[in-house]
Amino acid sequence: MKRIVIVGGVAGGMSAATRLRRLDESAEIIVIEKSGFVSYANCGLPYYVGGVIEEEKSLLLQTPESLHARFRLDVRVRTEVLKIDPVRRSVLLKDLNSGQESELSYDVLVLSPGASPIVPPISGVERALTLRTVEDVARIVDQVSKKPQSAAVIGGGFIGVEIAENLIHRGIKTSMIEASDQVLAPLDPEMASLVAREIRANGVELYLGASAVKIDESTVEISSGEIVAADLVIMAIGVRPDIHLAQDAGLEIGPRKGIKVDEFNLTSDKSIYAIGDVAEKTDSLDGSSTLVPLANIANRHGRIVADHIAGRKIRPVKTIGTAIVKVFDLMIATTGWNEKKLKATSRAYHVIHAHPNSHAGYYPDAKQMTLKLIFDPLTGEILGAQGVGIDGVDKRLDVISTAIRGGIKAQELADLELAYAPPFGSAKDPVNMLGYIAENVISGLVETAQWDQIEDYRAKGYELVDVRTQGEFDRGTIPGAINVPVDEIRERAQEFQGKNLLVTCQVGQRGHTASLLLKSLGFNPVNLDGGYLLWSNSPAAKELVQKK
Ligand SMILES: Cc1cc2nc3c(=O)[nH]c(=O)nc-3n(C[C@H](O)[C@H](O)[C@H](O)COP(=O)(O)OP(=O)(O)OC[C@H]3O[C@@H](n4cnc5c(N)ncnc54)[C@H](O)[C@@H]3O)c2cc1C
């Protein structure tokens, strides 16, 4: 009988174990888990802190007993794998209750120990709590139940923003300290600004571009010199793959400091697989090694490894890194590469933004969202997308991530027949709209400029023309713009003679109409993508306010 030992009994490990049992009734499957729980919903942990999920037991999806009853798995909790001996094909176990150590041999070993929160070596850091396991969340909930006056969340990534929201739900005065100049690193800055606004609007004191330098008894000192009140401190600055077992065993470690695996998730030792947060993934865009510490790919790779062990044919999975997070009333989703990464690799790309409604504007409760699509300027290959909004962002980003997987080009998003009735969408769905805009850009019908290029165009002598109504213009415009409403362009075109024009409106749509009209009148206009709305929420607008 083949013995398969699995290290880590949550997302990747338990997917592998249960799938394997379904495929092979005869295998001996032993799951070793050092925490007291298996198959728990770590993604739900922040919501237990906030009381949105009321019962701890709701997070516990299975127990060793239920897994034995249904799958005949031998699940050993509070048992840690201390060492792997790849030559003897055995692991050294420690029973964390009794302290006893023992050796367990394996035919196949699957490593899914996940990733550990990064804890920087700053003074007083031992007071900071991290969030990864059920035990971690119990510690945080215990502190929260003592009714702290204030909390500081260090790190503005996915877990940081979720925990900050939940601390606010608990009525705790919460600050967030983020070292970079934006929250949610997978977003580009103009999209992250929308999230920062939401965070602040909900009462979180947000410090950007500042890192925690010292944790005292009830405060955190940050690099700007400011002192932040913090009865409770949560450290959420990111995770790193838990590779120590693999490293000790001499398994090859990849360039991103995760375990290097092949297309079947086999490590450099052909009896050992690695899956989940601990393993490096292959980026679907350029084939490079990447880390994607997310549940979907951990589960998918768990299944693939089980199939491979059972001798089934598998389809290797590359990653595009699709993610979503809730921040108060906003949903924020991303897929593929962002513009920051594309800039860093100097790959050619084109960006478009749109501000469509979640469903038909005339049907109650339609909510405007901001979508960003990034694609190859020549072929239209979709390179990435981001969305921020109150409703419907999840659906659009999922369609786009599916399009990326299927090789559908940006301009072909126009062709997708998406479900529509007024309560659910629009006859021109937001995804179709992105396709229409991409088609216009790729075919050369219109030229567009980005929110951060306005000064460059100005320097080249472009006149900035705001084509919204006088009323909209009076309520706020990009400094230096002149107002010629789109409906007056035909009559007033002579005012533009000899000028290059950068056209702007509220979201880019009237600007597009104006640009085509101006083109037909003999001008060479450039339309400001995303319009005043995108610019006014972007770092460019903030810089201008600061300069004043
Ligand atoms: C608070 C939080 C919120 C999250 N939210 C989301 C979300 O909304 N969406 C999303 O896609 N992803 C989310 N994630 C990430 C997601 O949970 C992980 O990507 C996923 O669980 C990774 O699966 P894994 O099997 O690699 O590791 P894990 O699920 O972390 O499991 C690893 C297990 O291995 C055990 N272990 C480690 N070392 C040993 C050892 N030596 N011996 C025995 N056992 C060991 C650990 O105790 C742990 O229980 C979240 C993570 C956290 C912590």
Side-chain angles (χ1 to χ4, degrees):
M1 189 166 52
K2 207 172 183 179
R3 177 182 286 171
I4 293 104
V5 173
I6 299 174
V7 184
V10 192
M14 205 46 82
S15 291
T18 50
R19 171 77 174 168
L20 192 57
R21 172 57 76 226
R22 290 188 194 99
L23 298 176
D24 183 352
E25 183 57 22
S26 69
E28 185 185 7
I29 305 170
I30 304 174
V31 180
I32 309 294
E33 167 57 51
K34 76 175 172 187
S35 79
F37 305 90
V38 277
S39 205
Y40 54 85
N42 32 17
C43 307
L45 298 177
Y47 300 98
Y48 178 54
V49 173
V52 179
I53 296 172
E54 293 176 8
E55 305 274 347
E56 188 191 70
K57 65 175 187 303
S58 311
L59 300 166
L60 309 175
L61 308 176
Q62 296 284 352
T63 62
E65 294 72 30
S66 67
L67 289 161
H68 183 262
R70 180 155 309 163
F71 297 104
R72 289 290 181 275
L73 299 179
D74 176 355
V75 179
R76 305 182 192 176
V77 292
R78 292 204 40 81
T79 307
E80 183 172 0
V81 174
L82 296 179
K83 214 171 170 29
I84 304 167
D85 186 335
V87 179
R88 288 162 53 89
R89 286 199 193 167
S90 70
V91 287
L92 178 65
L93 304 183
K94 180 172 182 180
D95 180 323
L96 297 177
N97 291 326
S98 65
Q100 257 188 353
E101 294 187 4
S102 59
E103 199 178 341
L104 178 70
S105 65
Y106 62 80
D107 297 301
V108 176
L109 182 66
V110 179
L111 298 177
S112 192
S116 305
I118 298 170
V119 179
I122 56 175
S123 162
V125 78
E126 47 293 339
R127 195 164 76 77
L129 300 177
T130 55
L131 181 55
R132 178 187 182 195
T133 62
V134 179
E135 284 88 349
D136 292 340
V137 86
R139 273 188 283 275
I140 296 174
V141 167
D142 179 53
Q143 295 250 338
V144 166
S145 69
K146 292 177 187 149
K147 306 231 175 299
Q149 296 290 304
S150 57
V153 177
I154 304 174
F158 285 92
I159 294 177
V161 295
E162 286 182 346
I163 199 85
E165 172 180 338
N166 280 286
L167 292 171
I168 290 282
H169 278 171
R170 288 287 189 194
I172 302 169
K173 186 178 172 308
T174 302
S175 304
M176 177 178 283
I177 301 157
E178 165 56 53
S180 81
D181 50 11
Q182 67 161 78
V183 293
L184 297 181
L187 294 178
D188 288 315
E190 79 282 17
M191 305 296 281
S193 301
L194 302 169
V195 185
R197 193 179 62 183
E198 178 78 359
I199 289 172
R200 289 189 169 118
N202 281 279
V204 177
E205 193 72 45
L206 178 60
Y207 297 87
L208 292 175
S211 44
V213 292
K214 191 169 169 223
I215 299 174
D216 286 318
E217 214 169 288
S218 60
T219 56
V220 174
E221 185 181 330
I222 59 177
S223 47
S224 59
E226 286 160 288
I227 305 290
V228 177
D231 294 336
L232 170 65
V233 182
I234 308 286
M235 185 63 75
I237 61 169
V239 295
R240 65 165 69 95
D242 208 340
I243 55 172
H244 74 276
L245 284 175
Q247 226 164 5
D248 286 353
L251 301 184
E252 199 174 335
I253 302 301
R256 307 297 305 274
K257 298 278 178 278
I259 302 177
K260 191 173 162 65
V261 292
D262 67 9
E263 58 189 325
F264 309 114
N265 279 76
L266 270 169
T267 67
S268 51
D269 179 317
K270 297 307 163 205
S271 302
I272 306 178
Y273 293 84
I275 51 178
D277 292 358
V278 81
E280 291 193 352
K281 322 277 183 285
T282 305
D283 187 294
S284 77
L285 207 63
D286 69 351
S288 64
S289 286
T290 183
L291 295 173
V292 180
L294 292 170
N296 170 291
I297 194 100
N299 281 282
R300 181 83 187 94
H301 280 157
R303 183 183 163 98
I304 281 180
V305 158
D307 283 10
H308 198 244
I309 295 170
R312 289 171 64 86
K313 208 166 158 4
I314 63 152
R315 275 191 323 278
V317 175
K318 293 182 181 171
T319 177
I320 53 177
T322 306
I324 188 163
V325 67
K326 171 182 176 301
V327 178
F328 297 98
D329 285 338
L330 289 183
M331 54 169 90
I332 300 115
T334 72
T335 187
W337 284 26
N338 59 28
E339 198 181 345
K340 291 180 289 192
K341 185 164 172 180
L342 284 158
K343 268 187 189 147
T345 55
S346 9
R347 176 169 177 162
Y349 66 90
H350 198 96
V351 168
I352 56 174
H353 297 84
H355 292 91
N357 281 330
S358 52
H359 59 250
Y362 57 81
Y363 188 88
D365 288 334
K367 301 282 188 266
Q368 192 175 46
M369 66 181 89
T370 305
L371 294 178
K372 173 173 186 171
L373 186 74
I374 315 174
F375 51 89
D376 185 289
L378 294 176
T379 65
E381 178 189 357
I382 303 174
L383 305 174
Q386 296 160 42
V388 178
I390 293 170
D391 187 26
V393 170
D394 50 348
K395 166 165 142 176
R396 276 58 192 218
L397 262 290
D398 277 346
V399 171
I400 296 170
S401 68
T402 308
I404 295 178
R405 183 83 173 93
I408 292 171
K409 304 276 188 267
Q411 63 276 28
E412 290 170 341
L413 295 177
D415 310 333
L416 298 182
E417 293 182 34
L418 300 170
Y420 160 62
F424 308 111
S426 301
K428 292 177 196 160
D429 188 87
V431 174
N432 297 140
M433 289 304 298
L434 289 172
Y436 295 146
I437 302 170
E439 196 168 49
N440 288 336
V441 170
I442 293 169
S443 65
L445 184 66
V446 286
E447 197 182 324
T448 57
Q450 288 303 312
W451 59 273
D452 56 353
Q453 294 175 326
I454 297 174
E455 289 313 312
D456 300 344
Y457 277 92
R458 283 265 184 67
K460 284 189 270 178
Y462 277 70
E463 173 101 77
L464 182 60
V465 186
D466 186 334
V467 299
R468 295 175 302 162
T469 62
Q470 171 93 50
E472 288 173 289
F473 181 81
D474 290 345
R475 283 194 291 277
T477 188
I478 302 170
I482 59 160
N483 182 220
V484 180
V486 61
D487 296 341
E488 296 175 20
I489 286 177
R490 288 182 184 85
E491 288 71 38
R492 295 175 56 184
Q494 72 284 357
E495 292 176 29
F496 306 137
Q497 286 311 328
K499 288 181 181 164
N500 285 321
L501 302 175
L502 178 59
V503 177
T504 179
C505 66
Q506 183 67 10
V507 296
Q509 206 172 9
R510 275 173 287 171
H512 173 66
T513 301
S515 295
L516 289 183
L517 173 58
L518 285 163
K519 216 172 154 185
S520 70
L521 295 173
F523 296 95
N524 281 317
V526 175
N527 186 26
L528 182 66
D529 177 63
Y532 175 72
L533 186 60
L534 188 76
W535 175 86
S536 60
N537 286 314
S538 75
K542 274 180 214 109
E543 265 169 39
L544 209 75
V545 171
Q546 271 159 13
K547 269 189 212 158
K548 278 184 182 171

